[in-house]
Amino acid sequence: MNFTFEDIPCTLAHEKFGVRLYLRTDQPAEEARKIYERIVKKLRGTARTVERLILDAAPDILGKGDATALNQHHALRRAYEYFRERAEKPGHIQDELQTGESNGGQWSSFKSGKIQMELNAFHDMIAAISAFLSLLEHDLVLALPFAGFDPEVDNVTDLIGARWGDKWDRVVGKTAEALEFRSRLTEVVERWRKPYSHGGFEKGHGATLWLHMPGVGAAVPVGLTRVRDSPHFSFIGGRESDIAGVFALFDEIEPWLSIMLPEAMQWIDSGLAVRYDDEFGSLFALSKAEKSFDSFLEYHEYRQEQIDNVDY
């Protein structure tokens, strides 16, 4: 960007190794440094003003789709795979037996390595479920431009803030298969994720709040009819079969999404950012009509490589 400051020609450039400010002047170096510092001070003040204007206009701009979303698919997937691997293959822990003597005589303490491994696997399963849901919601938002995004009907801001089920319905629809997967995923969310994403309290307080019953001498869980589905019912929250069942469902959902949203999942897997504007929507529709989506994707990957390497 070329401009002048006090009749001095200047250039502000975003180059390969950062932002550079060039001044073309015959002034001595010390005086040129002072001019440079005044320019930087004014640029910083201007940036704050522009930021306020952008923030004020942001909701409307984003809602209409005049925005690009950073693709965080691979970063979120790494978190999911990390916790999943730990849940499926918890680190081996040996039994721990301690003995000793005290004034009261001899004592012993035993800690089961197997139980500790099961507890660790359960905690990692909860983390893996949360990571998978975060990944799924992120991918559904990124898939919107490939699923008939219409700025007159859709609002990106609202969709980002919507519940995962609403995102699911909007992007993959309400076919029999889609509804079945949503139902099964809802069971996983209700049973495992929600109690721990809301501070350990289940929806409806089932089996996570205990009432002190007068005359009974005991505390009983609220929502008794649901207690058998509660992760708090047993000493170990989740068995190996529970963990296997959760991940088996996730392994069904992912390839199904690739079949339902082939272009979207290809684009997301490429790591490219996603645009919601009309121009991108039109270009995507044209590539799909001409059956040239692979070339469309390759072109954008090449452009991104140029940008990353500052090879303009």
Side-chain angles (χ1 to χ4, degrees):
M1 175 66 67
N2 297 314
F3 64 98
T4 59
F5 180 78
E6 298 177 354
D7 297 326
I8 297 175
C10 306
T11 299
L12 187 65
H14 183 194
E15 299 182 346
K16 192 161 190 171
F17 299 104
V19 178
R20 296 289 184 269
L21 175 60
Y22 298 99
L23 282 69
R24 290 182 286 278
T25 178
D26 295 328
Q27 299 272 11
E30 184 177 346
E31 186 62 29
R33 166 63 63 176
K34 292 179 181 179
I35 296 171
Y36 159 82
E37 290 174 352
R38 296 211 308 274
I39 294 174
V40 170
K41 183 177 179 180
K42 289 182 177 293
L43 286 173
R44 285 176 175 163
T46 302
R48 287 191 290 269
T49 301
V50 172
E51 282 178 359
R52 287 195 294 270
L53 294 171
I54 292 174
L55 288 173
D56 290 341
D60 185 57
I61 294 173
L62 176 58
K64 292 179 179 177
D66 291 326
T68 297
L70 180 66
N71 187 339
Q72 302 178 67
H73 170 82
H74 290 292
L76 292 171
R77 182 163 189 83
R78 281 194 296 272
Y80 162 60
E81 290 175 346
Y82 170 77
F83 289 116
R84 173 170 176 167
E85 183 178 4
R86 287 167 58 102
E88 292 180 319
K89 300 176 182 178
H92 179 71
I93 300 175
Q94 292 184 338
D95 294 341
E96 185 179 313
L97 175 63
Q98 294 180 335
T99 60
E101 293 184 4
S102 64
N103 294 333
Q106 293 184 335
W107 59 268
S108 65
S109 171
F110 176 76
K111 182 184 290 186
S112 169
K114 180 181 179 182
I115 290 178
Q116 189 60 50
M117 289 170 62
E118 290 175 343
L119 285 170
N120 291 348
F122 169 65
H123 294 147
D124 285 320
M125 180 191 72
I126 300 302
I129 291 171
S130 293
F132 181 83
L133 265 292
S134 296
L135 171 65
L136 177 63
E137 290 197 57
H138 182 71
D139 287 354
L140 289 173
V141 172
L142 294 184
L144 188 60
F146 305 91
F149 174 74
D150 182 356
E152 297 297 323
V153 179
D154 297 304
N155 184 291
V156 179
T157 306
D158 291 344
L159 186 75
I160 291 173
R163 296 179 178 181
W164 75 265
D166 294 332
K167 293 184 177 76
W168 178 275
D169 289 345
R170 170 58 188 87
V171 176
V172 301
K174 295 184 178 182
T175 63
E177 277 188 307
L179 290 173
E180 181 190 354
F181 275 125
R182 175 177 173 170
S183 176
R184 293 169 64 192
L185 195 52
T186 298
E187 289 180 10
V188 170
V189 172
E190 293 289 342
R191 183 179 183 187
W192 301 114
R193 187 201 191 197
K194 279 195 174 180
Y196 299 95
S197 63
H198 294 293
F201 295 97
E202 288 189 57
K203 185 178 180 181
H205 312 307
T208 58
L209 288 180
W210 298 68
L211 299 183
H212 298 178
M213 299 302 294
V216 177
V220 297
V222 182
L224 288 173
T225 55
R226 298 178 56 208
V227 74
R228 70 177 58 185
D229 295 325
S230 170
H232 299 269
F233 186 67
S234 60
F235 181 62
I236 303 298
R239 301 179 300 274
E240 287 186 19
S241 59
D242 295 321
I243 295 172
V246 167
F247 294 143
L249 172 60
F250 294 170
D251 289 342
E252 285 185 63
I253 288 174
E254 290 191 303
W256 180 79
L257 285 174
S258 295
I259 294 171
M260 293 295 295
L261 304 165
E263 295 87 7
M265 300 313 294
Q266 268 187 269
W267 188 282
I268 291 169
D269 189 59
S270 75
L272 291 172
V274 172
R275 290 167 49 190
Y276 296 87
D277 56 277
D278 289 338
E279 181 186 9
F280 180 81
S282 298
L283 291 172
F284 165 65
L286 181 63
S287 73
K288 194 171 180 180
E290 295 180 348
K291 299 182 179 180
S292 59
F293 176 77
D294 288 346
S295 298
F296 179 67
L297 176 59
E298 288 173 7
Y299 167 71
H300 281 84
E301 287 179 319
Y302 172 71
R303 280 191 59 191
Q304 187 60 49
E305 289 175 1
Q306 286 186 304
I307 292 169
D308 293 341
N309 295 315
V310 199
D311 293 331
Y312 302 116

